[in-house]
């Protein structure tokens, strides 16, 4: 079992920044792709950022490219999402979702059961 636990969400005004953290515990050996998803109320879940575990290859959705940065901590079981220039449309529950599948080509395209989901952390951006 893999257990991600997210933190760092909160309320911020448009243009502000937040850094989300995720600590991944459990049987983490072999995790290939570390991802962040988000889901706004009434909308489908959206993949926003992915990182090849232990590497520096990253993937971003068009909606966050240039504003968000995904990174892995020195302790390899920690994942971050630095979010700058936040917009009201970034308001959502954010989920850390590592997977044993590869990041290549389409890191957000696997079925729900291919990812290991945390409880999420709420981000609210006011205008």
């Amino acid at each position: 079992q893999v257990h991600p636990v997210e933190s760092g969400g909160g309320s911020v005004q448009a243009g502000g920044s937040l850094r989300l953290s995720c600590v991944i515990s459990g049987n983490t050996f072999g995790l290939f792709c570390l991802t962040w998803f988000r889901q706004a109320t009434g909308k489908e879940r959206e993949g926003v950022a992915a990182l090849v575990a232990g590497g520096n290859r990253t993937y971003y959705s068009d909606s966050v490219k240039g504003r968000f940065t995904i990174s892995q901590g020195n302790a390899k079981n920690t994942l971050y999402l630095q979010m700058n220039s936040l917009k009201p449309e970034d308001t959502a529950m954010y989920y850390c979702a590592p997977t044993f599948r590869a990041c290549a080509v389409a890191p957000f395209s696997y079925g729900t059961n291919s990812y290991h989901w945390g409880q999420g952390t709420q981000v609210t951006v006011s205008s």
Side-chain angles (χ1 to χ4, degrees), residues 5-29:
V5 178
E6 306 93 337
S7 62
S11 297
V12 65
Q13 289 192 325
S17 298
L18 283 173
R19 188 174 84 153
L20 306 184
S21 300
C22 175
V23 177
I24 306 168
S25 63
N27 186 14
T28 60
F29 180 77

Side-chain angles (χ1 to χ4, degrees), residues 63-123:
S63 59
V64 308
K65 197 173 297 182
R67 300 187 298 121
F68 289 12
T69 303
I70 187 172
S71 62
Q72 198 170 6
N74 290 332
K76 296 302 181 184
N77 66 330
T78 304
L79 185 68
Y80 300 105
L81 186 67
Q82 178 67 42
M83 306 186 297
N84 298 330
S85 302
L86 282 162
K87 305 175 181 180
E89 51 263 43
D90 295 318
T91 295
M93 185 72 80
Y94 283 72
Y95 298 92
C96 172
T99 177
F100 292 100
R101 305 289 293 270
C103 277
V105 181
F108 311 124
S109 66
Y110 302 122
T112 298
N113 290 340
S114 291
Y115 302 94
H116 299 271
W117 301 96
Q119 293 299 307
T121 186
Q122 177 68 36
V123 171

Side-chain angles (χ1 to χ4, degrees), residues 22-74:
C22 175
V23 177
I24 306 168
S25 63
N27 186 14
T28 60
F29 180 77
L31 284 172
F32 271 102
C33 190
L34 308 178
T35 73
W36 286 97
F37 282 76
R38 68 184 181 186
Q39 188 166 21
T41 302
K43 295 189 177 181
E44 291 189 359
R45 186 164 47 207
E46 172 192 20
V48 296
L51 170 71
V52 174
N56 55 14
R57 181 73 169 93
T58 56
Y59 304 77
Y60 296 96
S61 67
D62 288 342
S63 59
V64 308
K65 197 173 297 182
R67 300 187 298 121
F68 289 12
T69 303
I70 187 172
S71 62
Q72 198 170 6
N74 290 332

